[in-house]
Amino acid sequence: MAAEITTGKSGKVVIHNIGLLLSGNIDNPVLSADTIVLEDGIITAVGKYKDCDTDHAQTVIDCQQTAIAPGLIDSHVHPVFGDWTPRQSQLGWIDSMMHGGVTTMISAGEVHLPGRPKDIVGLKALAITAQRAFDNYRPGGVKVLAGAPIIEKGMVESDFKDLADAGVRLLGEVGLGTVKAGYEAQEMVAWARKYGIQSTIHTGGPSVPGSGYIDKDTILEADADIIGHINGGHTSLPEAHVCELCEKSSRGIEIVHNGNEKTAIAAAKMAMELKCPHRVILGTDGPAGSGVQPLGILRMISMLSALANIPAELVFCFATGNTAKMRNLNCGLIEVGRAADFVFMDRAQHTAGKTLLESVQCGDIPGIGMVMIDGLIRAHRSRNTPPATQVPVVAQ
């Protein structure tokens, strides 16, 4: 294998001989292109090899006709500090998720920290610390967008301004703290939105001690930006209420691995029926009591494609471009100017599907042959997925 750049900036990288290029854009999910060129972690060209400037590359990757998708985005995780989760006393869970194709994670609150402060000064301090810590440290190269405070009674508008001024851009799940009434949440969500902080609301039954049951009427009244784990985390609202939320709200529809699979399928089908698949995003809601799922996003993609009968190329968009657009991220889409975060895949060995997309539609997980973040190779053949039939090769 040729030498490759694994630290610092990537320089110029040419990726060619791509068999299938998934864009992440739900309006145009498959690109007619076989080559990507990037410079220092940013995509500079996407097209046919003959039309791209491929000279003087520091790294050349021959995809061997395998597929590339944008790096997967987990819209709902609960990190604490570093690559450790006290919820499961586990080290290395973020790096393991990277081996499942996840290149970006979004915190829904650092709720598992032992002794998590619930006073207003303390919760703001924790959020700012988590935001700073994960900005400075990226396990496995994964971009962890953390610092998501759990709102509590007694917070006032200036608290949200303080958080925004300090760089906090997320709220943890509304409902995990003392703010559970719709009218209280609505006021604080509006303050957060005013200062550029995005909100997610807990949906369904309680998940951890201190959280509560959040019903459809509370969710509609609160009007958070994301209907967090609409299929429950873990316990779901009735299927009819889940479908009503999809219909009556215009906000993000987040479906997670650690939830009710039946209502997950119902929510995805309802989004398709309402002609708003762009609202669907995917998360794991891990670490949780049920553990850490390194392949959780891939499993959600295969499940929704196979059981909700949604074309696999569209479901990949749920986990990439949809989330990027909703979360205002410079990744998740394969287009010029975006971050060069990619997952290289092929159909798993011995799957019944004749192509990658067909294998996913059959319910199988693809094999990952490489993961790239900011143009740097972070993993070759995944240690967690089934072996890919073919893998890319670093040719230079």
Side-chain angles (χ1 to χ4, degrees), residues 261-311:
E261 293 177 341
K262 186 171 184 288
T263 50
I265 293 164
K269 284 183 171 180
M270 180 57 68
M272 298 300 290
E273 183 180 320
L274 294 170
K275 301 190 185 324
C276 60
H278 59 280
R279 289 171 53 200
V280 181
I281 60 178
L282 304 183
T284 56
D285 194 11
S290 59
V292 173
Q293 298 81 28
L295 304 182
I297 297 298
L298 284 178
R299 287 173 61 84
M300 290 297 296
I301 290 169
S302 62
M303 183 190 76
L304 293 176
S305 180
L307 300 183
N309 199 29
I310 302 172

mmCIF file of all heavy atoms in Angstrom, residues 261-311:
data_model
loop_
_atom_site.group_PDB
_atom_site.id
_atom_site.type_symbol
_atom_site.label_atom_id
_atom_site.label_comp_id
_atom_site.label_asym_id
_atom_site.label_seq_id
_atom_site.Cartn_x
_atom_site.Cartn_y
_atom_site.Cartn_z
ATOM 1 N N GLU A 261 -39.086 0.403 16.854
ATOM 2 C CA GLU A 261 -38.863 0.174 15.424
ATOM 3 C C GLU A 261 -40.161 0.297 14.627
ATOM 4 O O GLU A 261 -40.164 0.772 13.496
ATOM 5 C CB GLU A 261 -38.220 -1.196 15.219
ATOM 6 C CG GLU A 261 -36.809 -1.275 15.785
ATOM 7 C CD GLU A 261 -36.191 -2.649 15.643
ATOM 8 O OE1 GLU A 261 -36.949 -3.622 15.451
ATOM 9 O OE2 GLU A 261 -34.955 -2.744 15.722
ATOM 10 N N LYS A 262 -41.265 -0.113 15.213
ATOM 11 C CA LYS A 262 -42.543 -0.054 14.506
ATOM 12 C C LYS A 262 -42.933 1.398 14.212
ATOM 13 O O LYS A 262 -43.332 1.739 13.099
ATOM 14 C CB LYS A 262 -43.636 -0.737 15.324
ATOM 15 C CG LYS A 262 -44.980 -0.871 14.615
ATOM 16 C CD LYS A 262 -45.926 -1.762 15.429
ATOM 17 C CE LYS A 262 -47.243 -1.992 14.674
ATOM 18 N NZ LYS A 262 -48.074 -0.791 14.638
ATOM 19 N N THR A 263 -42.795 2.265 15.218
ATOM 20 C CA THR A 263 -43.147 3.666 14.973
ATOM 21 C C THR A 263 -42.075 4.379 14.154
ATOM 22 O O THR A 263 -42.369 5.378 13.490
ATOM 23 C CB THR A 263 -43.432 4.412 16.285
ATOM 24 O OG1 THR A 263 -42.379 4.184 17.221
ATOM 25 C CG2 THR A 263 -44.750 3.969 16.893
ATOM 26 N N ALA A 264 -40.844 3.881 14.185
ATOM 27 C CA ALA A 264 -39.818 4.434 13.288
ATOM 28 C C ALA A 264 -40.249 4.266 11.839
ATOM 29 O O ALA A 264 -40.174 5.199 11.029
ATOM 30 C CB ALA A 264 -38.484 3.736 13.522
ATOM 31 N N ILE A 265 -40.708 3.067 11.511
ATOM 32 C CA ILE A 265 -41.159 2.784 10.143
ATOM 33 C C ILE A 265 -42.388 3.625 9.809
ATOM 34 O O ILE A 265 -42.502 4.189 8.710
ATOM 35 C CB ILE A 265 -41.443 1.279 9.993
ATOM 36 C CG1 ILE A 265 -40.129 0.496 10.116
ATOM 37 C CG2 ILE A 265 -42.131 0.976 8.668
ATOM 38 C CD1 ILE A 265 -40.319 -0.977 10.366
ATOM 39 N N ALA A 266 -43.312 3.753 10.776
ATOM 40 C CA ALA A 266 -44.523 4.549 10.541
ATOM 41 C C ALA A 266 -44.176 6.011 10.282
ATOM 42 O O ALA A 266 -44.761 6.657 9.394
ATOM 43 C CB ALA A 266 -45.461 4.432 11.738
ATOM 44 N N ALA A 267 -43.222 6.567 11.055
ATOM 45 C CA ALA A 267 -42.840 7.967 10.871
ATOM 46 C C ALA A 267 -42.204 8.188 9.501
ATOM 47 O O ALA A 267 -42.491 9.181 8.821
ATOM 48 C CB ALA A 267 -41.878 8.396 11.976
ATOM 49 N N ALA A 268 -41.326 7.273 9.097
ATOM 50 C CA ALA A 268 -40.676 7.411 7.784
ATOM 51 C C ALA A 268 -41.699 7.316 6.662
ATOM 52 O O ALA A 268 -41.664 8.104 5.701
ATOM 53 C CB ALA A 268 -39.604 6.343 7.617
ATOM 54 N N LYS A 269 -42.616 6.381 6.778
ATOM 55 C CA LYS A 269 -43.661 6.248 5.756
ATOM 56 C C LYS A 269 -44.542 7.484 5.703
ATOM 57 O O LYS A 269 -44.931 7.952 4.624
ATOM 58 C CB LYS A 269 -44.514 5.013 6.041
ATOM 59 C CG LYS A 269 -43.864 3.687 5.675
ATOM 60 C CD LYS A 269 -44.844 2.539 5.928
ATOM 61 C CE LYS A 269 -44.322 1.228 5.388
ATOM 62 N NZ LYS A 269 -45.267 0.115 5.626
ATOM 63 N N MET A 270 -44.868 8.043 6.872
ATOM 64 C CA MET A 270 -45.705 9.240 6.904
ATOM 65 C C MET A 270 -44.993 10.421 6.256
ATOM 66 O O MET A 270 -45.608 11.206 5.526
ATOM 67 C CB MET A 270 -46.082 9.572 8.347
ATOM 68 C CG MET A 270 -46.957 10.822 8.492
ATOM 69 S SD MET A 270 -48.514 10.762 7.552
ATOM 70 C CE MET A 270 -49.397 9.474 8.426
ATOM 71 N N ALA A 271 -43.693 10.559 6.500
ATOM 72 C CA ALA A 271 -42.932 11.642 5.863
ATOM 73 C C ALA A 271 -42.960 11.505 4.346
ATOM 74 O O ALA A 271 -43.082 12.505 3.623
ATOM 75 C CB ALA A 271 -41.490 11.652 6.368
ATOM 76 N N MET A 272 -42.849 10.282 3.847
ATOM 77 C CA MET A 272 -42.920 10.064 2.406
ATOM 78 C C MET A 272 -44.323 10.395 1.889
ATOM 79 O O MET A 272 -44.476 11.027 0.839
ATOM 80 C CB MET A 272 -42.559 8.619 2.073
ATOM 81 C CG MET A 272 -41.142 8.207 2.457
ATOM 82 S SD MET A 272 -39.842 9.174 1.661
ATOM 83 C CE MET A 272 -39.998 8.578 -0.035
ATOM 84 N N GLU A 273 -45.342 9.982 2.634
ATOM 85 C CA GLU A 273 -46.726 10.238 2.220
ATOM 86 C C GLU A 273 -47.020 11.728 2.193
ATOM 87 O O GLU A 273 -47.738 12.228 1.312
ATOM 88 C CB GLU A 273 -47.680 9.527 3.181
ATOM 89 C CG GLU A 273 -49.147 9.653 2.822
ATOM 90 C CD GLU A 273 -50.043 8.924 3.804
ATOM 91 O OE1 GLU A 273 -49.679 7.817 4.239
ATOM 92 O OE2 GLU A 273 -51.110 9.478 4.145
ATOM 93 N N LEU A 274 -46.460 12.468 3.162
ATOM 94 C CA LEU A 274 -46.671 13.915 3.236
ATOM 95 C C LEU A 274 -45.758 14.681 2.284
ATOM 96 O O LEU A 274 -45.800 15.912 2.236
ATOM 97 C CB LEU A 274 -46.427 14.399 4.671
ATOM 98 C CG LEU A 274 -47.405 13.909 5.741
ATOM 99 C CD1 LEU A 274 -46.896 14.261 7.131
ATOM 100 C CD2 LEU A 274 -48.784 14.509 5.515
ATOM 101 N N LYS A 275 -44.921 13.956 1.562
ATOM 102 C CA LYS A 275 -43.974 14.542 0.605
ATOM 103 C C LYS A 275 -43.004 15.511 1.293
ATOM 104 O O LYS A 275 -42.671 16.574 0.762
ATOM 105 C CB LYS A 275 -44.717 15.244 -0.549
ATOM 106 C CG LYS A 275 -45.632 14.308 -1.339
ATOM 107 C CD LYS A 275 -46.153 14.965 -2.585
ATOM 108 C CE LYS A 275 -47.163 14.141 -3.348
ATOM 109 N NZ LYS A 275 -46.947 12.699 -3.354
ATOM 110 N N CYS A 276 -42.549 15.099 2.474
ATOM 111 C CA CYS A 276 -41.548 15.901 3.180
ATOM 112 C C CYS A 276 -40.398 15.021 3.678
ATOM 113 O O CYS A 276 -40.011 15.105 4.856
ATOM 114 C CB CYS A 276 -42.172 16.678 4.330
ATOM 115 S SG CYS A 276 -42.955 15.646 5.601
ATOM 116 N N PRO A 277 -39.821 14.169 2.820
ATOM 117 C CA PRO A 277 -38.717 13.315 3.269
ATOM 118 C C PRO A 277 -37.485 14.120 3.687
ATOM 119 O O PRO A 277 -36.632 13.607 4.421
ATOM 120 C CB PRO A 277 -38.421 12.442 2.046
ATOM 121 C CG PRO A 277 -38.902 13.242 0.877
ATOM 122 C CD PRO A 277 -40.118 13.963 1.378
ATOM 123 N N HIS A 278 -37.392 15.381 3.240
ATOM 124 C CA HIS A 278 -36.258 16.232 3.617
ATOM 125 C C HIS A 278 -36.256 16.549 5.114
ATOM 126 O O HIS A 278 -35.236 17.000 5.645
ATOM 127 C CB HIS A 278 -36.312 17.537 2.816
ATOM 128 C CG HIS A 278 -37.564 18.330 3.026
ATOM 129 N ND1 HIS A 278 -38.743 18.013 2.386
ATOM 130 C CD2 HIS A 278 -37.827 19.401 3.809
ATOM 131 C CE1 HIS A 278 -39.687 18.868 2.770
ATOM 132 N NE2 HIS A 278 -39.153 19.715 3.630
ATOM 133 N N ARG A 279 -37.371 16.299 5.808
ATOM 134 C CA ARG A 279 -37.449 16.581 7.244
ATOM 135 C C ARG A 279 -36.903 15.440 8.096
ATOM 136 O O ARG A 279 -36.721 15.603 9.304
ATOM 137 C CB ARG A 279 -38.903 16.851 7.656
ATOM 138 C CG ARG A 279 -39.467 18.166 7.157
ATOM 139 C CD ARG A 279 -40.965 18.263 7.428
ATOM 140 N NE ARG A 279 -41.286 18.017 8.824
ATOM 141 C CZ ARG A 279 -42.497 17.665 9.257
ATOM 142 N NH1 ARG A 279 -43.483 17.475 8.394
ATOM 143 N NH2 ARG A 279 -42.710 17.474 10.546
ATOM 144 N N VAL A 280 -36.645 14.282 7.497
ATOM 145 C CA VAL A 280 -36.248 13.102 8.273
ATOM 146 C C VAL A 280 -34.734 13.079 8.481
ATOM 147 O O VAL A 280 -33.960 13.201 7.526
ATOM 148 C CB VAL A 280 -36.696 11.805 7.578
ATOM 149 C CG1 VAL A 280 -36.296 10.588 8.417
ATOM 150 C CG2 VAL A 280 -38.209 11.813 7.342
ATOM 151 N N ILE A 281 -34.319 12.928 9.738
ATOM 152 C CA ILE A 281 -32.911 12.779 10.079
ATOM 153 C C ILE A 281 -32.767 11.577 11.011
ATOM 154 O O ILE A 281 -33.748 11.128 11.616
ATOM 155 C CB ILE A 281 -32.323 14.053 10.724
ATOM 156 C CG1 ILE A 281 -33.068 14.411 12.019
ATOM 157 C CG2 ILE A 281 -32.381 15.214 9.739
ATOM 158 C CD1 ILE A 281 -32.510 15.634 12.734
ATOM 159 N N LEU A 282 -31.557 11.058 11.125
ATOM 160 C CA LEU A 282 -31.339 9.818 11.878
ATOM 161 C C LEU A 282 -30.324 10.010 13.001
ATOM 162 O O LEU A 282 -29.362 10.779 12.873
ATOM 163 C CB LEU A 282 -30.838 8.708 10.951
ATOM 164 C CG LEU A 282 -31.702 8.360 9.743
ATOM 165 C CD1 LEU A 282 -31.081 7.186 8.992
ATOM 166 C CD2 LEU A 282 -33.135 8.049 10.136
ATOM 167 N N GLY A 283 -30.553 9.299 14.095
ATOM 168 C CA GLY A 283 -29.620 9.287 15.212
ATOM 169 C C GLY A 283 -29.619 7.919 15.862
ATOM 170 O O GLY A 283 -30.416 7.047 15.516
ATOM 171 N N THR A 284 -28.743 7.737 16.828
ATOM 172 C CA THR A 284 -28.740 6.485 17.586
ATOM 173 C C THR A 284 -29.363 6.650 18.960
ATOM 174 O O THR A 284 -29.933 5.721 19.501
ATOM 175 C CB THR A 284 -27.311 5.928 17.765
ATOM 176 O OG1 THR A 284 -26.494 6.918 18.394
ATOM 177 C CG2 THR A 284 -26.728 5.506 16.435
ATOM 178 N N ASP A 285 -29.254 7.847 19.559
ATOM 179 C CA ASP A 285 -29.630 8.076 20.956
ATOM 180 C C ASP A 285 -28.777 7.207 21.872
ATOM 181 O O ASP A 285 -29.233 6.674 22.875
ATOM 182 C CB ASP A 285 -31.119 7.830 21.209
ATOM 183 C CG ASP A 285 -31.579 8.400 22.561
ATOM 184 O OD1 ASP A 285 -30.811 9.154 23.181
ATOM 185 O OD2 ASP A 285 -32.713 8.080 22.983
ATOM 186 N N GLY A 286 -27.515 7.079 21.519
ATOM 187 C CA GLY A 286 -26.584 6.340 22.355
ATOM 188 C C GLY A 286 -25.450 7.263 22.803
ATOM 189 O O GLY A 286 -25.275 8.337 22.235
ATOM 190 N N PRO A 287 -24.683 6.893 23.780
ATOM 191 C CA PRO A 287 -24.849 5.727 24.629
ATOM 192 C C PRO A 287 -26.135 5.805 25.455
ATOM 193 O O PRO A 287 -26.582 6.879 25.835
ATOM 194 C CB PRO A 287 -23.618 5.782 25.543
ATOM 195 C CG PRO A 287 -22.651 6.669 24.839
ATOM 196 C CD PRO A 287 -23.487 7.660 24.108
ATOM 197 N N ALA A 288 -26.713 4.642 25.692
ATOM 198 C CA ALA A 288 -27.961 4.576 26.426
ATOM 199 C C ALA A 288 -27.971 3.292 27.235
ATOM 200 O O ALA A 288 -26.999 2.521 27.232
ATOM 201 C CB ALA A 288 -29.141 4.614 25.452
ATOM 202 N N GLY A 289 -29.089 3.057 27.898
ATOM 203 C CA GLY A 289 -29.203 1.842 28.687
ATOM 204 C C GLY A 289 -29.051 0.595 27.845
ATOM 205 O O GLY A 289 -28.582 -0.441 28.328
ATOM 206 N N SER A 290 -29.424 0.691 26.570
ATOM 207 C CA SER A 290 -29.297 -0.465 25.680
ATOM 208 C C SER A 290 -27.908 -0.559 25.070
ATOM 209 O O SER A 290 -27.635 -1.463 24.278
ATOM 210 C CB SER A 290 -30.353 -0.412 24.580
ATOM 211 O OG SER A 290 -30.221 0.767 23.818
ATOM 212 N N GLY A 291 -27.025 0.383 25.415
ATOM 213 C CA GLY A 291 -25.641 0.261 24.983
ATOM 214 C C GLY A 291 -25.223 1.271 23.946
ATOM 215 O O GLY A 291 -25.844 2.305 23.742
ATOM 216 N N VAL A 292 -24.123 0.943 23.292
ATOM 217 C CA VAL A 292 -23.554 1.738 22.204
ATOM 218 C C VAL A 292 -23.674 0.907 20.939
ATOM 219 O O VAL A 292 -23.380 -0.290 20.949
ATOM 220 C CB VAL A 292 -22.074 2.071 22.487
ATOM 221 C CG1 VAL A 292 -21.435 2.742 21.287
ATOM 222 C CG2 VAL A 292 -21.952 2.956 23.720
ATOM 223 N N GLN A 293 -24.098 1.523 19.862
ATOM 224 C CA GLN A 293 -24.307 0.802 18.607
ATOM 225 C C GLN A 293 -23.398 1.379 17.521
ATOM 226 O O GLN A 293 -23.786 2.342 16.840
ATOM 227 C CB GLN A 293 -25.771 0.880 18.165
ATOM 228 C CG GLN A 293 -26.747 0.243 19.129
ATOM 229 C CD GLN A 293 -27.100 1.141 20.307
ATOM 230 O OE1 GLN A 293 -27.056 2.351 20.201
ATOM 231 N NE2 GLN A 293 -27.461 0.546 21.420
ATOM 232 N N PRO A 294 -22.195 0.834 17.342
ATOM 233 C CA PRO A 294 -21.292 1.385 16.329
ATOM 234 C C PRO A 294 -21.877 1.386 14.925
ATOM 235 O O PRO A 294 -21.529 2.238 14.109
ATOM 236 C CB PRO A 294 -20.067 0.468 16.424
ATOM 237 C CG PRO A 294 -20.107 -0.082 17.810
ATOM 238 C CD PRO A 294 -21.562 -0.235 18.126
ATOM 239 N N LEU A 295 -22.771 0.435 14.645
ATOM 240 C CA LEU A 295 -23.391 0.362 13.326
ATOM 241 C C LEU A 295 -24.833 0.866 13.357
ATOM 242 O O LEU A 295 -25.623 0.569 12.462
ATOM 243 C CB LEU A 295 -23.349 -1.078 12.799
ATOM 244 C CG LEU A 295 -21.967 -1.723 12.728
ATOM 245 C CD1 LEU A 295 -22.063 -3.125 12.142
ATOM 246 C CD2 LEU A 295 -20.999 -0.868 11.925
ATOM 247 N N GLY A 296 -25.169 1.650 14.369
ATOM 248 C CA GLY A 296 -26.553 2.074 14.550
ATOM 249 C C GLY A 296 -27.129 2.850 13.385
ATOM 250 O O GLY A 296 -28.278 2.631 12.991
ATOM 251 N N ILE A 297 -26.352 3.770 12.810
ATOM 252 C CA ILE A 297 -26.882 4.557 11.682
ATOM 253 C C ILE A 297 -27.022 3.672 10.446
ATOM 254 O O ILE A 297 -28.039 3.742 9.739
ATOM 255 C CB ILE A 297 -25.980 5.775 11.409
ATOM 256 C CG1 ILE A 297 -25.971 6.716 12.625
ATOM 257 C CG2 ILE A 297 -26.484 6.519 10.177
ATOM 258 C CD1 ILE A 297 -27.305 7.318 12.985
ATOM 259 N N LEU A 298 -26.045 2.820 10.176
ATOM 260 C CA LEU A 298 -26.176 1.898 9.048
ATOM 261 C C LEU A 298 -27.371 0.967 9.234
ATOM 262 O O LEU A 298 -28.095 0.660 8.283
ATOM 263 C CB LEU A 298 -24.906 1.074 8.882
ATOM 264 C CG LEU A 298 -23.696 1.775 8.257
ATOM 265 C CD1 LEU A 298 -22.509 0.826 8.226
ATOM 266 C CD2 LEU A 298 -24.005 2.283 6.853
ATOM 267 N N ARG A 299 -27.588 0.517 10.457
ATOM 268 C CA ARG A 299 -28.729 -0.355 10.724
ATOM 269 C C ARG A 299 -30.050 0.380 10.485
ATOM 270 O O ARG A 299 -31.013 -0.204 9.966
ATOM 271 C CB ARG A 299 -28.666 -0.888 12.161
ATOM 272 C CG ARG A 299 -27.581 -1.941 12.369
ATOM 273 C CD ARG A 299 -27.448 -2.307 13.841
ATOM 274 N NE ARG A 299 -28.698 -2.859 14.362
ATOM 275 C CZ ARG A 299 -29.062 -4.120 14.256
ATOM 276 N NH1 ARG A 299 -28.279 -4.989 13.638
ATOM 277 N NH2 ARG A 299 -30.192 -4.549 14.779
ATOM 278 N N MET A 300 -30.100 1.651 10.862
ATOM 279 C CA MET A 300 -31.316 2.434 10.605
ATOM 280 C C MET A 300 -31.556 2.598 9.107
ATOM 281 O O MET A 300 -32.692 2.515 8.627
ATOM 282 C CB MET A 300 -31.194 3.814 11.259
ATOM 283 C CG MET A 300 -31.243 3.805 12.772
ATOM 284 S SD MET A 300 -32.819 3.196 13.408
ATOM 285 C CE MET A 300 -33.936 4.442 12.796
ATOM 286 N N ILE A 301 -30.476 2.837 8.359
ATOM 287 C CA ILE A 301 -30.611 2.992 6.908
ATOM 288 C C ILE A 301 -31.157 1.714 6.284
ATOM 289 O O ILE A 301 -32.106 1.750 5.492
ATOM 290 C CB ILE A 301 -29.249 3.382 6.285
ATOM 291 C CG1 ILE A 301 -28.870 4.806 6.688
ATOM 292 C CG2 ILE A 301 -29.290 3.252 4.758
ATOM 293 C CD1 ILE A 301 -27.438 5.186 6.358
ATOM 294 N N SER A 302 -30.584 0.573 6.651
ATOM 295 C CA SER A 302 -31.036 -0.683 6.049
ATOM 296 C C SER A 302 -32.450 -1.027 6.499
ATOM 297 O O SER A 302 -33.263 -1.517 5.704
ATOM 298 C CB SER A 302 -30.061 -1.820 6.369
ATOM 299 O OG SER A 302 -29.989 -2.061 7.756
ATOM 300 N N MET A 303 -32.788 -0.768 7.770
ATOM 301 C CA MET A 303 -34.124 -1.082 8.257
ATOM 302 C C MET A 303 -35.192 -0.247 7.552
ATOM 303 O O MET A 303 -36.211 -0.773 7.097
ATOM 304 C CB MET A 303 -34.221 -0.859 9.766
ATOM 305 C CG MET A 303 -35.590 -1.238 10.334
ATOM 306 S SD MET A 303 -35.854 -0.733 12.048
ATOM 307 C CE MET A 303 -36.165 1.024 11.859
ATOM 308 N N LEU A 304 -34.969 1.063 7.480
ATOM 309 C CA LEU A 304 -35.977 1.926 6.864
ATOM 310 C C LEU A 304 -36.116 1.646 5.370
ATOM 311 O O LEU A 304 -37.215 1.701 4.815
ATOM 312 C CB LEU A 304 -35.632 3.397 7.106
ATOM 313 C CG LEU A 304 -35.730 3.861 8.565
ATOM 314 C CD1 LEU A 304 -35.280 5.306 8.692
ATOM 315 C CD2 LEU A 304 -37.138 3.695 9.109
ATOM 316 N N SER A 305 -34.988 1.342 4.725
ATOM 317 C CA SER A 305 -35.062 1.026 3.303
ATOM 318 C C SER A 305 -35.828 -0.266 3.084
ATOM 319 O O SER A 305 -36.729 -0.342 2.235
ATOM 320 C CB SER A 305 -33.652 0.920 2.722
ATOM 321 O OG SER A 305 -33.702 0.606 1.353
ATOM 322 N N ALA A 306 -35.498 -1.296 3.872
ATOM 323 C CA ALA A 306 -36.099 -2.611 3.663
ATOM 324 C C ALA A 306 -37.545 -2.675 4.130
ATOM 325 O O ALA A 306 -38.412 -3.205 3.425
ATOM 326 C CB ALA A 306 -35.268 -3.674 4.384
ATOM 327 N N LEU A 307 -37.839 -2.128 5.317
ATOM 328 C CA LEU A 307 -39.152 -2.332 5.925
ATOM 329 C C LEU A 307 -40.129 -1.190 5.652
ATOM 330 O O LEU A 307 -41.342 -1.406 5.668
ATOM 331 C CB LEU A 307 -39.009 -2.556 7.430
ATOM 332 C CG LEU A 307 -38.161 -3.772 7.826
ATOM 333 C CD1 LEU A 307 -38.151 -3.957 9.333
ATOM 334 C CD2 LEU A 307 -38.662 -5.039 7.142
ATOM 335 N N ALA A 308 -39.618 0.017 5.423
ATOM 336 C CA ALA A 308 -40.503 1.111 5.026
ATOM 337 C C ALA A 308 -40.579 1.224 3.508
ATOM 338 O O ALA A 308 -41.311 2.064 2.980
ATOM 339 C CB ALA A 308 -40.030 2.434 5.630
ATOM 340 N N ASN A 309 -39.780 0.395 2.814
ATOM 341 C CA ASN A 309 -39.766 0.348 1.346
ATOM 342 C C ASN A 309 -39.441 1.710 0.737
ATOM 343 O O ASN A 309 -40.091 2.176 -0.202
ATOM 344 C CB ASN A 309 -41.112 -0.171 0.803
ATOM 345 C CG ASN A 309 -40.988 -0.661 -0.634
ATOM 346 O OD1 ASN A 309 -39.933 -1.115 -1.057
ATOM 347 N ND2 ASN A 309 -42.063 -0.538 -1.392
ATOM 348 N N ILE A 310 -38.400 2.333 1.279
ATOM 349 C CA ILE A 310 -37.914 3.612 0.766
ATOM 350 C C ILE A 310 -36.607 3.346 0.037
ATOM 351 O O ILE A 310 -35.728 2.649 0.567
ATOM 352 C CB ILE A 310 -37.689 4.620 1.910
ATOM 353 C CG1 ILE A 310 -38.996 4.838 2.688
ATOM 354 C CG2 ILE A 310 -37.176 5.952 1.369
ATOM 355 C CD1 ILE A 310 -38.818 5.664 3.950
ATOM 356 N N PRO A 311 -36.434 3.854 -1.183
ATOM 357 C CA PRO A 311 -35.184 3.603 -1.916
ATOM 358 C C PRO A 311 -33.958 3.920 -1.064
ATOM 359 O O PRO A 311 -33.896 4.962 -0.395
ATOM 360 C CB PRO A 311 -35.299 4.534 -3.121
ATOM 361 C CG PRO A 311 -36.773 4.673 -3.346
ATOM 362 C CD PRO A 311 -37.380 4.672 -1.971
#
